[in-house]
Amino acid sequence: MGKAKNNKFKRPRFSAGGLSANALKEVVENEDEVEVDSPAAELLEKLQSPCADVRECACASISRMVQQSQTIPSFLQRDAVRRLGPLLLDSCVAVRETAAGALRNLSASGSPEVCEDMVRQDILTPLITLLRECCSGFDVNPSPKNLKSTVEDVANEAINLLWNLCENSSQAVSLFNKAGLLDMLVLCLERHEQKLELALSAAQCLHTVTEENAELLGSVNVAVLSALEAVLLSTNPDMQHTLLRTLAAGSLWNLKNSIPVGRQAQTLSALVATLSASLDLDGGALIPDLLQAEAARHANDAGDQRAESPEEHHHPANGAEEEMEEMEEEGEERVNGGHTARKDKDFSDLIPHGKEELREATALLLSQQTSLEVIVNMCCSDDPSDDEWEEMSSGDESEACEVGSLQSPLCLSAEVHSALIHHCIPQKVLKKAEFPSPAAVDACGRSSSWKSLIKKMHRVQCRALTCLHNILATMDTEPLGGVAGLQMVAQHLASLVFSSAEVLKEEEFLEAVTSALRSLLQIMASKNIPQCMSPQQLMGVCEAATRCDMMSVRVNALAILGITGSTLAKETGSADTLQMIGTALLSVASKDSNLVVCGEALDALFDVFADGAEAEKAARNIHLLAALKALQPVFKSKLRKEGKGNYSPEQLCVLDNIKVNLRRFIGYLETLKKN
């Protein structure tokens, strides 16, 4: 029977929808001529102005423009990174801040390849120097509160740029390690009582750079761990502090191998308690309340709802005023005021001031998403080979194809298992796996600025489903309600697939829900727990899933059919249902273009028709022997012609096993026919 690996959550690269470096180069190469007086050229030229106000305004305009990815090529072809880099160390603090902001937006609106290119152009050298200067100046001559740009503001932009680069470039992470920037992030994190926004940026960056970073573990000392633990023990009840604590918990889990043995139990307890507290929050009730609070505040003070930009409250020197006004008009015309540029981006950290309720709601959802991601990784193997496995294996594993922990159930340590059970994590995860509150979705849908939260609510649900899948594979199922509870969960998961037509278009959701259902049905079958769904319901789930373009969803659906069929084969009078399942599996095995999917369909057939009078009867009715004989040479030919180069060595190993098992299974059916 096919076996599903435990998913491990890896933070996605920051802007998958951005233009790649190759795409940018193609745009540049295909341009018939370069406009000498283009907006990008004019703005980059103004970066050299002797007037700080002009340099600042040019950086601010670039920052707005590059939020539209189609404008990025015109800046990159004019060496924008190398021209902005020196301004990170400009003599004017405001210029430093806006230059860092422009580079930050460039890294976010581009793509991983753009970030890699920025690292190759040595942007980290001035950035690291800037961060060191900022951190050394936090407590020296504190900036007056009425100053437009403070050292902390500059540090916040710089850390966000560093975060983007490290999230997208392994070379950036390596340079982070060598430069010893961990201590600087901790310094920023420790200022959470005074500068929460700075601390949140540092926590996000820290959560990213500590993930699977063995080289960094040697730099982790008592001061680092104490700073993170101090954040966990903070008691501020607002959502942004909740997010801060969750990120600190995630970083501690990433650094678990550096925690002294004597502190591990205490740290683990505080870590899981933090995740639990985040999941306790009811977004369905809190989000409508926050939206109402925003409306009430606007009714009392409508003037506070607009977020200020540097140009709106800055008074330039007289000598540069006319030139800056002209630049502002150009910038507004080119990027529609800078607001539409990020309408399709997920820039949650760029919520303007004056939208504090929206900031709180966003922090709530990101905190819960992060909590679930950490729990996913807590219930997961650390074997790096997992990442290359494609969620299928043959029922007849050969010694050459064994892949360690993938061939046996994973086990949690007693400490982790106890902490998760003590804080009722399985029940809380199951609650988050339900669809978002209709009231919250409806309320957000009526507000243009809050509408983006609907997607974030569904993302929390997807993470919960992935988390449920891992919990089922690693923990005792009693916390989910025993036999009756598991049957209820199975019904719930099946119902999610048919909740709406739109759901069938959401590949991430379908992968999460089918993975969880597959894992659950495997457990129920192993415990001989009766399945409470009718075969027709399961067939409906699988038919919906097999229409999905995502390979892993189709594989999950076929595995579900195999699990169901092998269980039904033991029951009297199940031949008709087995016939229906067998026909569906044969259709996929012969028609799907992906060999991994075809292999899973064959593997499921072996399980369903392996034994029993009902299986033999159904096999005769659908002429299974003749169908497999006809399919065998086609499968072998496709494997020989398409295998190498298109599939990983692990996949090819499994497919080769299936080829052998197909020959053996045909022999088994021929023996049955003779008898």
Side-chain angles (χ1 to χ4, degrees), residues 139-201:
D139 298 313
V140 180
N141 299 322
S143 306
K145 290 185 178 181
N146 61 348
L147 256 190
K148 180 177 55 177
S149 298
T150 67
V151 173
E152 288 88 351
D153 294 331
V154 178
N156 185 55
E157 291 292 343
I159 287 175
N160 274 282
L161 171 57
L162 178 66
W163 174 29
N164 292 351
L165 295 175
C166 289
E167 202 161 38
N168 290 285
S169 167
S170 58
Q171 179 64 21
V173 174
S174 178
L175 292 170
F176 175 96
N177 295 338
K178 292 175 182 175
L181 295 182
L182 179 61
D183 291 340
M184 294 184 210
L185 290 184
V186 171
L187 277 175
C188 297
L189 187 65
E190 290 175 333
R191 300 182 70 80
H192 62 91
E193 295 291 347
Q194 302 86 18
K195 285 286 183 178
L196 178 57
E197 187 176 3
L198 173 64
L200 274 171
S201 297

Side-chain angles (χ1 to χ4, degrees), residues 226-353:
S226 297
L228 289 167
E229 290 168 358
V231 172
L232 291 192
L233 298 175
S234 64
T235 57
N236 306 67
D238 62 85
M239 298 302 104
Q240 293 183 75
H241 277 93
T242 299
L243 172 59
L244 183 70
R245 287 190 288 271
T246 303
L247 291 166
S251 295
L252 278 170
W253 178 255
N254 292 341
L255 298 172
K256 59 185 179 295
N257 293 331
S258 295
I259 301 174
V261 175
R263 297 175 61 170
Q264 286 181 356
Q266 180 183 356
T267 301
L268 178 63
S269 177
L271 188 161
V272 178
T274 298
L275 304 179
S276 176
S278 171
L279 296 180
D280 279 336
L281 297 169
D282 183 2
L286 288 170
I287 288 174
D289 288 348
L290 286 166
L291 217 164
Q292 288 179 5
E294 181 188 70
R297 180 172 58 80
H298 287 172
N300 293 331
D301 190 4
D304 287 345
Q305 67 181 323
R306 293 189 61 196
E308 295 184 2
S309 66
E311 293 81 4
E312 288 172 329
H313 67 259
H314 178 48
H315 300 284
N318 292 335
E321 185 170 356
E322 182 177 343
E323 182 178 6
M324 290 181 62
E325 287 178 356
E326 178 185 342
M327 289 168 61
E328 289 175 19
E329 291 173 2
E330 291 172 354
E332 294 291 322
E333 180 180 353
R334 289 167 194 146
V335 296
N336 299 322
H339 298 297
T340 61
R342 54 177 182 263
K343 65 181 179 181
D344 294 324
K345 297 289 183 182
D346 189 13
F347 291 174
S348 59
D349 56 327
L350 295 182
I351 296 171
H353 294 288

